[in-house]
């Protein structure tokens, strides 16, 4: 393990061609506090705003999950300020846990947070294409967050993050006014904001690349942000319309999702002609691509870091790009795998299942190439690299339960059990969060001009990595044993759940592992805020990496390249090039350094 | 650090794999109780062997590479942008594996869901409402009586809204415990009166949403006598956690006795699950409240109203 501070200071190698003055996007730095930090147009400030919004959300979601784990094994505990958690309150907890995590963390931090901050810099642009739209999309997301907190504090919605009608459409079925309505309003706002963000990312990638930054020289992070933005553009519009239709069903007497002849709590409903399955199609047409919206940027970060810290070019750069595109494309053809048990035509299950299995192929390519990148490398184990390796491990573990659930035959016993909970938590939950952690440790020096503590970082990694497996691996077995998800305490629920009584010790083990892992996240928070103030001063290029953000000061100036647009001469992963003295070639190094 | 990663990743891999291989019965698919269940289980086994091999191979390689290729101050890393041939071989292998597994399992699905029940199957209608299951048998005429939404009222004992004026309703039986004959194919109709519910019996390897507005036909054949538990497997509201009921798979003679006098038979033979796990010796194991077991001949109570 080398010492970060001994790393040579290489600011001088970022050769800048000052003859190309693309200053069109360079705007003067604002001076007032509000324009600088609140209603900022600077993509870096907006990226950080998204990041801290995600941080607030992830701790909200984490606390909710701890409460859930308490209720599942010690339902009699009275929690200070909350009291005893009832089985129906458990449904509120899981609904908001899922919502905060999926929307405000997994969609927000990897794409809107890091993407906003580093996409323009990595392609050599001074800002995003539409800075005002960028600001608007953040503040719309923030409004969505506030509205969601409103749902939290009025009547907690209980319909799950998937909010299936007719439960979510008929208030007297349990989706009480305010809670469910605010939930839908928040999601609609979030979708609108994500559409703005997606347009901005796509335009920026296509139009603002600096001289020499061809598409095939973009870092894989940029490729994943780009493809994720395309997914977002196609997916969020569908959820937005679904959410608005459901709001109308609830409040304007329409019947998009409610069929006729229903009697709820003894009251005949006046709706007729709608279909509850329509919502599921709209929701999962968004919902499956959403999985990739959460995980693709993490794949980009893992690729970037594995190459950098193995001191090796990424294995199969073009295969990686095509795999990302294939995942994006196939991702829109598989949504029905969430609906094998829904009553939709069983014939469609063939197609959805085949497509879903096919998506395993590009995912396997990615894994193979990550391992290929480490193979015969010279690996430096800094904290970001530990999290990148953890990402690969979790991606493999979470990914391999996919082919079970992709087969409708096996979905019969496993659907809506803890097996599914284990699967998606490993792959889209924790793997994506490992991507966020890896990105945080990696880019923190650039964003804040200081290094994070390596020893705290390592401690955080080991607790989180082992804890994650301790929490989610056993859930596979529970699911196989037939433990349904979204059930409150197994002990108190009428005493009927003897079928699964033998699982209780395992449930307790999971809860304890969850408490320890949750507590270990404090190490991260302490490291984050302590390092902002007290961390060692970061050099320009602490990791000896090649991409453009490592050519400019830490933190970067207002318009990134001080008006001097960089010129790119090399691909993003030129490490250990034979015949070159240093073991890396910056993208901006003169073409003569290494001919291709 | 490379060694630590190797040890931890390998340890996690071997512990997880150990439980998959040893699988004590309480952490595995429960014993099968339907005729098509074993096919699902063997498809499950093929899948977990295939995925298990990939899992172990990938994790072992990850741990090994982390240790073997750590920075030991050795000469530069190997400069390579990849290997198209290896890439192609790997892609084709995974495609064969994933698509092959998929095709292997499709006939089981087709058999369960594409074909209808064979003629002469025993008919049962399963209806979910917040937060209770109702099971209806058509009686000797083989026809379910008409139901009307305006008549649905659990407080009068007619939760399903069966129309007493329909002659076909006269011999319908409604029960809150599901009693099924062993080794007879069942023609199951699933309905939901308010929100989506899901009929899930793990031992049957059977799960299907009951959806408002849809009549869903399913078929399966229970083949092991015993008492099992039905869990609602679709979030259906605040009482979702208590939406459970018992299933009894019984001999043909017992089934006929049940059809003759459902209430009496169930009083004498209360649901006593879950026996398949041998957990009944535990003191807290109680059958559901007697109220849940009330079965009645609807035409009787309805006839008295006329
Ligand atoms: Cu999906
Ligand atoms: Cu339910």
């Amino acid at each position: 393990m080398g010492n970060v501070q001994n790393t040579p200071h290489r600011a001088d190698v970022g050769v800048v061609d000052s003859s190309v003055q693309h200053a069109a996007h360079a705007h003067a730095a604002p001076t007032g506090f509000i324009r600088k930090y609140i209603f900022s147009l600077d993509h870096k400030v907006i990226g950080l705003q998204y990041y801290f919004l995600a941080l607030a959300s992830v701790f909200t979601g984490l606390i909710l999950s701890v409460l859930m784990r308490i209720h599942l094994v010690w339902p009699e505990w009275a929690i200070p300020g909350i009291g005893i958690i009832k089985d129906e309150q458990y449904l509120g907890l899981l609904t908001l846990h899922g919502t905060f995590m999926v929307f405000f963390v997994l969609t927000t931090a990897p794409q809107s947070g890091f993407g906003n901050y580093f996409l323009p810099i990595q392609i050599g642009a001074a800002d995003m294409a539409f800075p005002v739209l960028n600001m608007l999309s953040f503040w719309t997301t923030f409004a969505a967050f506030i509205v969601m907190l409103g749902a939290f504090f009025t009547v907690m919605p209980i319909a799950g993050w998937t909010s299936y009608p007719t439960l979510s459409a008929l208030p007297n079925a349990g989706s009480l006014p305010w809670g469910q309505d605010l939930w839908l309003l928040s999601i609609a706002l979030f979708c609108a904001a994500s559409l703005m963000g997606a347009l901005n990312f796509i335009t920026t990638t296509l139009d603002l690349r600096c001289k020499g930054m061809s598409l095939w020289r973009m870092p894989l992070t940029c490729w994943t942000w780009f493809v994720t933005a395309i997914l977002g553009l196609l997916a969020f519009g569908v959820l937005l319309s679904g959410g608005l239709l459901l709001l109308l069903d609830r409040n304007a007497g329409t019947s998009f999702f409610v069929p006729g002849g229903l009697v709820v709590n003894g009251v005949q409903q006046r709706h007729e002609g709608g279909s509850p399955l329509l919502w599921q199609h709209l929701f999962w047409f968004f919902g499956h691509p959403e999985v990739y919206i959460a995980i693709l940027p993490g794949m980009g970060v893992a690729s970037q870091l594995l190459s950098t810290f193995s001191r090796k070019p990424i294995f199969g750069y073009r295969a990686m790009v095509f795999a990302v595109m294939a995942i994006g494309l196939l991702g829109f053809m598989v949504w029905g795998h969430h609906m094998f048990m829904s009553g939709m035509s069983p014939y469609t299950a063939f197609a959805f299942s085949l497509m879903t299995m096919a998506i395993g192929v590009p995912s396997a390519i990615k894994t193979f190439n990550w391992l290929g990148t480490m193979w015969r490398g010279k690996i430096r184990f800094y904290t970001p690299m530990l999290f990148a390796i953890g990402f690969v491990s979790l991606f493999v573990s979470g990914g391999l339960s996919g082919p079970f659930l992709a087969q409708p035959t096996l979905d019969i016993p496993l659907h809506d059990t803890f097996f599914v909970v284990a699967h998606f938590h490993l792959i889209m939950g924790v793997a994506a969060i490992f991507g966020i952690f890896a990105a945080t440790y990696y880019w923190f020096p650039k964003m804040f001009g200081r290094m994070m503590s390596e020893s705290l970082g390592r401690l955080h990694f080991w607790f989180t990595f082992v804890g994650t497996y301790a929490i989610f691996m056993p859930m596979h077995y529970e699911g196989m044993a037939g433990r349904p998800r979204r059930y409150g305490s197994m002990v108190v629920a009428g005493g009927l759940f003897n079928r699964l009584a033998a699982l209780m010790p395992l449930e307790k083990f999971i809860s304890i592992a969850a408490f320890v892992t949750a507590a270990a996240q404090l190490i991260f928070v302490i490291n984050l805020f302590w390092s902002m103030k007290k961390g060692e001063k970061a050099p320009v290029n602490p990791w000896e990496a090649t991409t453009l953000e490592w050519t400019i000061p830490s933190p970067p100036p207002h318009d990134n390249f001080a008006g001097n647009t960089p010129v790119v001469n090399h691909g993003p992963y030129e490490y250990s090039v034979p015949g070159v003295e240093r073991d890396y070639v910056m993208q901006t190094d003169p073409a003569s350094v290494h001919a291709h | 650090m490379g060694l630590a990663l190797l040890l931890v990743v390998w340890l996690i891999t071997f512990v997880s794999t150990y439980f998959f291989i040893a699988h004590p019965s309480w952490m595995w698919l429960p014993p099968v109780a339907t005729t098509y269940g074993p096919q699902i289980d063997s498809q499950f086994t093929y899948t977990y062997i295939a995925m298990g091999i990939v899992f172990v191979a990938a994790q072992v390689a990850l741990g090994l590479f982390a240790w073997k290729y750590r920075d030991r101050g050795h000469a530069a890393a190997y400069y390579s942008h990849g290997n198209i041939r290896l890439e192609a071989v790997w892609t084709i292998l995974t495609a064969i594996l994933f698509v092959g597994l998929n095709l292997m399992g499709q006939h089981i699905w087709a058999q369960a869901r594409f074909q209808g029940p064979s003629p002469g199957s025993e008919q049962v209608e399963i209806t979910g409402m917040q937060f209770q299951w109702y099971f209806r048998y058509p009686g000797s005429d083989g026809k379910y009586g008409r139901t009307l939404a305006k008549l649905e009222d659990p407080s009068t004992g007619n939760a399903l809204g069966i129309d007493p004026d329909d002659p076909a309703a006269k011999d319908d039986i409604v029960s809150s415990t599901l009693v099924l004959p062993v080794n007879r194919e069942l023609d199951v109709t699933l309905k939901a009166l308010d929100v989506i519910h899901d009929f899930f019996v793990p031992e049957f390897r059977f799960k299907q949403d009951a959806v408002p507005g849809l009549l869903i036909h399913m078929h399966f054949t229970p083949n092991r006598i015993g008492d099992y538990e039905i869990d609602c497997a679709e979030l259906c509201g605040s009482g979702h956690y208590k939406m459970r009921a018992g299933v009894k798979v019984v001999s043909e003679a017992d089934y006929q006795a049940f059809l003759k006098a459902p209430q009496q038979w169930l009083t004498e033979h209360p649901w006593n699950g879950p026996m398949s796990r041998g957990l009944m010796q535990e003191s807290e194991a109680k059958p559901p409240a007697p109220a849940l077991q009330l079965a009645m001949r609807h035409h009787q109570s309805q006839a008295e109203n006329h």
Side-chain angles (χ1 to χ4, degrees):
Chain A
M1 176 82 52
N3 190 329
V4 173
Q5 282 70 50
N6 293 341
T7 308
H9 190 284
R10 296 281 183 186
D12 53 323
V13 297
V15 174
V16 168
D17 184 346
S18 50
S19 65
V20 191
Q21 290 268 3
H22 284 300
H25 282 276
H27 32 75
T31 43
F33 178 81
I34 290 189
R35 296 295 298 184
K36 206 166 166 184
Y37 296 111
I38 311 285
F39 295 109
S40 172
L41 298 176
D42 184 341
H43 69 101
K44 298 185 288 299
V45 177
I46 295 171
L48 287 175
Q49 287 173 324
Y50 270 117
Y51 183 79
F52 285 109
L53 180 66
L55 199 66
S57 304
V58 82
F59 279 92
T60 312
L62 191 69
I63 290 165
L64 295 176
S65 66
V66 167
L67 294 177
M68 284 157 71
R69 287 312 315 180
I70 290 174
H71 170 74
L72 285 177
V73 294
W74 293 288
E76 69 284 359
W77 279 14
I79 294 144
I82 299 173
I84 291 172
I85 301 163
K86 297 193 207 64
D87 280 292
E88 45 270 33
Q89 289 172 324
Y90 176 78
L91 297 177
L93 295 177
L94 68 85
T95 300
L96 288 164
H97 167 78
T99 305
F100 277 117
M101 290 303 201
V102 171
F103 291 97
F104 293 96
V105 179
L106 299 176
T107 312
T108 300
Q111 177 78 1
S112 310
F114 288 111
N116 239 313
Y117 201 113
F118 287 104
L119 173 72
I121 304 183
Q122 286 197 329
I123 61 174
D127 203 329
M128 293 289 266
F130 310 117
V132 177
L133 192 67
N134 204 13
M135 176 182 79
L136 201 61
S137 92
F138 171 74
W139 284 104
T140 310
T141 309
F142 187 76
F145 178 76
I146 297 297
V147 174
M148 191 57 78
L149 285 182
F152 195 178
F153 289 113
T154 50
V155 184
M156 281 212 277
I158 59 161
W161 83 280
T162 51
S163 273
Y164 280 8
T166 50
L167 173 59
S168 59
L170 303 172
N172 66 338
S175 55
L176 299 174
W178 289 106
Q180 189 67 38
D181 296 299
L182 291 175
W183 186 91
L184 283 165
L185 183 64
S186 166
I187 294 303
L189 285 169
F190 189 92
C191 290
S194 302
L195 287 174
M196 296 183 232
L199 275 175
N200 217 344
F201 272 67
I202 294 169
T203 316
T204 305
T205 313
L206 291 179
D207 282 356
L208 297 188
R209 278 171 290 123
C210 67
K211 191 172 168 214
M213 180 61 82
S214 65
L215 285 174
W216 290 118
R217 276 184 183 161
M218 285 204 304
L220 287 170
T221 40
C222 297
W223 271 111
T224 53
W225 289 321
F226 179 52
V227 174
T228 301
I230 297 172
L231 296 187
L233 190 67
L234 297 174
F236 278 108
V238 176
L239 182 65
L240 173 60
S241 48
L244 294 178
L245 297 184
L246 190 48
L247 267 177
L248 290 175
D249 271 13
R250 290 177 58 80
N251 297 299
T254 60
S255 298
F256 293 103
F257 306 119
V258 189
L262 301 191
V263 178
V264 177
N265 273 322
V267 182
Q268 280 197 59
Q269 304 297 306
R270 280 178 313 195
H271 297 270
E272 57 184 350
S275 161
L277 289 192
L278 174 62
W279 167 267
Q280 295 183 29
H281 283 292
L282 295 176
F283 184 87
W284 290 115
F285 187 84
F286 148 81
H288 190 84
E290 164 62 26
V291 175
Y292 296 110
I293 290 173
I295 195 77
L296 281 181
M299 291 180 170
V301 168
S303 307
Q304 177 91 3
L305 270 57
L306 287 168
S307 172
T308 302
F309 292 101
S310 299
R311 315 309 293 165
K312 263 194 73 190
I314 191 84
F315 191 94
Y317 172 88
R318 287 197 184 211
M320 291 301 244
V321 174
F322 287 126
V324 169
M325 289 176 174
I327 288 172
L329 184 70
L330 289 171
F332 275 104
M333 303 180 193
V334 300
W335 78 91
H337 63 210
H338 299 270
M339 298 171 63
F340 290 147
M341 302 300 130
S342 70
M344 82 174 171
S345 161
Y347 299 102
T348 59
F350 263 22
F352 282 126
S353 166
L354 200 62
M355 284 300 179
T356 307
M357 291 301 254
I359 227 171
V361 177
S363 310
I365 293 175
K366 304 224 62 135
T367 309
F368 184 72
N369 289 358
W370 288 325
L371 290 172
T373 303
M374 290 169 71
W375 176 68
R376 295 183 67 182
K378 195 178 173 191
I379 303 171
R380 300 174 181 175
F381 294 105
Y382 295 113
T383 308
M385 180 60 165
L386 295 178
F387 276 97
I389 292 174
F391 175 93
V392 176
S393 174
L394 291 166
F395 183 77
V396 169
S397 304
L400 287 174
S401 50
F404 289 81
L405 299 166
Q407 301 179 56
T409 319
L410 301 185
D411 205 35
I412 298 173
L414 299 176
H415 175 75
D416 263 335
T417 67
F418 262 44
F419 192 91
V420 179
V421 176
H423 166 69
F424 72 73
H425 272 92
L426 280 179
I427 193 138
M428 98 175 267
V430 201
I433 284 185
F434 267 53
I436 299 173
F437 282 139
T440 305
Y441 285 106
Y442 181 67
W443 278 313
F444 184 93
K446 186 54 60 187
M447 295 191 293
F448 298 102
R450 290 176 186 275
M451 306 300 296
M452 286 181 84
S453 155
E454 271 293 312
S455 32
L456 286 181
R458 266 177 258 161
L459 200 63
H460 174 226
F461 168 76
W462 289 115
F463 270 112
T464 312
F465 186 63
V466 176
T468 296
Y469 273 110
I471 295 165
F472 295 109
M473 263 300 168
M475 288 188 186
H476 293 97
Y477 309 113
E478 290 195 289
M480 284 184 261
R483 161 70 161 111
R485 61 190 284 216
R486 293 172 166 172
Y487 265 66
S489 158
M490 305 200 306
V491 208
V492 289
L496 253 169
F497 230 167
N498 298 312
R499 181 164 74 73
L500 298 173
L503 291 175
M504 212 48 206
L506 201 57
E507 290 265 340
K508 287 190 175 149
F509 172 80
I510 294 173
S511 284
I512 291 166
F515 302 154
V516 173
T517 314
Q521 303 316 304
L522 288 177
I523 305 173
F524 171 73
V525 179
I526 291 166
N527 196 354
L528 189 74
F529 288 104
W530 180 85
S531 303
M532 268 181 214
K533 291 268 170 293
K534 298 274 159 86
E536 309 250 13
K537 279 260 187 280
V540 166
N541 189 3
W543 314 119
E544 301 187 296
T546 58
T547 45
L548 297 185
E549 74 272 32
W550 306 110
T551 63
I552 56 175
S554 314
H558 172 68
D559 57 357
N560 301 342
F561 298 95
N564 301 314
T565 313
V567 173
V568 165
N569 293 313
H570 302 281
Y573 302 113
E574 293 298 327
Y575 291 100
S576 305
V577 182
V580 177
E581 187 197 348
R582 231 171 36 193
D583 80 342
Y584 61 106
V585 177
M586 305 285 300
Q587 287 199 278
T588 48
D589 280 353
S592 56
V593 167
H594 163 47
H596 293 271
Chain B
M1 195 60 64
L3 187 63
L5 271 170
L6 174 135
L7 291 175
V8 170
V9 171
W10 283 17
L11 192 70
I12 288 168
T13 307
F14 294 137
V15 170
S16 320
T17 314
Y18 169 77
F19 282 117
F20 261 89
I21 292 170
H23 63 265
S25 63
W26 55 271
M27 57 177 355
W28 202 251
L29 297 165
V32 179
T34 48
T35 50
Y36 82 139
Q39 288 177 284
I40 294 185
D41 285 17
S42 59
Q43 178 67 15
F44 184 84
T45 307
Y46 296 138
T47 307
Y48 101 72
I49 291 172
M51 294 305 118
I53 291 170
V54 181
F55 171 73
V56 173
Q59 302 284 8
V60 164
L62 183 67
L64 184 70
F65 288 6
W67 169 72
K68 191 159 181 223
Y69 301 116
R70 69 197 184 278
D71 185 354
R72 287 166 295 166
H74 57 292
Y78 173 57
Y79 181 73
S80 152
H81 283 278
N83 182 325
I84 298 281
R85 191 176 300 166
L86 268 181
E87 198 101 57
V89 169
W90 171 251
T91 306
I92 291 166
L93 281 181
T94 50
I96 292 172
L97 176 69
F98 287 153
V99 174
L101 263 181
N102 178 279
L103 296 178
M104 270 168 64
Q106 296 288 29
H107 70 279
I108 309 169
W109 176 257
Q111 204 180 315
R113 309 269 162 141
F114 288 7
Q115 299 153 6
S118 42
S121 305
E122 192 61 23
Q123 292 184 72
V124 191
E125 182 194 74
I126 298 172
T127 306
M129 62 178 288
Q130 289 179 330
F131 299 97
Q132 174 77 50
W133 292 104
Y134 290 97
F135 309 102
R136 180 157 69 132
Y137 302 81
S140 50
D141 63 352
K143 277 194 204 125
Y144 297 114
R146 179 172 55 224
T147 56
L148 297 170
K150 63 173 188 235
L151 297 177
E152 285 170 21
D153 188 356
S155 61
T156 65
N158 191 8
L160 300 181
I162 298 170
D163 179 3
D165 297 335
D166 181 1
K170 294 278 184 256
D171 60 351
D172 286 7
I173 297 166
V174 179
S175 167
S176 55
T177 297
L178 179 59
V179 179
L180 300 173
V182 72
N183 294 329
R184 286 263 298 274
E185 189 174 19
L186 301 167
D187 172 5
V188 169
T189 310
L190 280 146
K191 286 168 69 175
L193 300 184
D194 40 31
V195 303
I196 303 175
H197 304 276
D198 186 293
F199 180 86
F200 176 35
V201 181
E203 289 84 354
F204 288 0
R205 304 290 185 271
F206 184 85
K207 180 183 285 141
Q208 176 59 48
D209 281 4
V211 184
L214 291 183
L215 275 184
I216 298 174
H217 272 272
M218 289 284 149
H219 64 106
F220 60 90
T221 310
N223 64 353
R224 192 156 55 83
I225 291 177
D227 288 7
Y228 311 102
E229 186 180 292
I230 302 162
D231 299 323
C232 174
E234 184 63 64
L235 176 53
C236 58
S238 58
H240 173 51
Y241 67 95
K242 57 187 173 199
M243 190 164 164
R244 302 187 213 141
V247 204
K248 292 177 78 71
V249 177
V250 299
S251 69
E252 187 64 34
D254 275 342
Y255 181 62
Q256 294 306 333
F258 161 77
L259 289 181
K260 265 199 204 82
Q263 190 168 357
Q264 191 196 341
W265 190 87
L266 274 172
T267 319
E268 289 162 13
H269 306 84
W271 179 80
N272 206 15
M275 302 200 311
S276 59
R277 298 302 176 84
L279 289 163
M280 281 312 291
Q281 58 271 42
E282 291 191 25
S283 55
E284 71 269 27
K286 305 189 276 278
L292 293 183
Q293 300 224 345
L294 280 182
M296 55 187 168
R297 283 181 178 272
H298 254 271
H299 65 103
Q300 288 174 350
S301 57
Q302 294 296 341
E304 283 156 20
N305 291 345
H306 281 268

